[in-house]
């Protein structure tokens, strides 16, 4: 899925379509898990931070500006959580 398609899904979430967030999760989960796996010290940490990232993403998705950088935005959330 390209960034434009991802932003279309995100726009649906921002408009109140909660089911679209499930599609967003399926679209980004693998890439974010890989991103975390390279940086985390254990698989348990990867899973914990991935879940926290998805929750934080959902809670703050209204703040995201549709401009084709959603995956980078989510990876930034993951990186910040990992550093904590």
């Amino acid at each position: 899925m390209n960034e434009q398609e991802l932003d279309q899904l995100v726009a649906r979430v921002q408009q109140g379509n909660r089911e679209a967030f499930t599609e967003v999760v399926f679209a980004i989960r693998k890439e974010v898990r890989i991103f975390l796996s390279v940086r985390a010290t254990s698989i348990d940490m990867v899973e914990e931070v991935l879940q926290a990232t998805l929750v934080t993403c959902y809670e703050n998705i209204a703040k995201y500006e549709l401009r084709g950088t959603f995956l980078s935005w989510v990876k930034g959330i993951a990186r910040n959580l990992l550093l904590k």
Side-chain angles (χ1 to χ4, degrees), residues 43-72:
I43 191 66
D44 290 335
M45 181 183 284
V46 169
E47 293 304 318
E48 182 179 329
V49 174
L50 177 61
Q51 292 303 315
T53 299
L54 295 174
V55 169
T56 302
C57 175
Y58 185 77
E59 293 173 343
N60 293 286
I61 202 162
K63 298 176 185 176
Y64 172 71
E65 297 176 13
L66 300 170
R67 58 179 182 221
T69 58
F70 184 73
L71 191 54
S72 296

Side-chain angles (χ1 to χ4, degrees), residues 11 18 23 26 28-29 35 40 51 56 60 65 73 76 82:
R18 292 182 182 186
E23 294 179 54
F26 284 118
I28 67 171
R29 181 180 53 195
F35 175 84
Q51 292 303 315
T56 302
N60 293 286
E65 297 176 13
W73 183 74
L82 192 57

Side-chain angles (χ1 to χ4, degrees), residues 35-36 49 53 73-84:
F35 175 84
L36 289 169
V49 174
T53 299
W73 183 74
V74 173
K75 286 179 181 178
I77 292 171
R79 182 180 46 81
N80 290 335
L81 290 171
L82 192 57
L83 291 173
K84 286 183 182 182

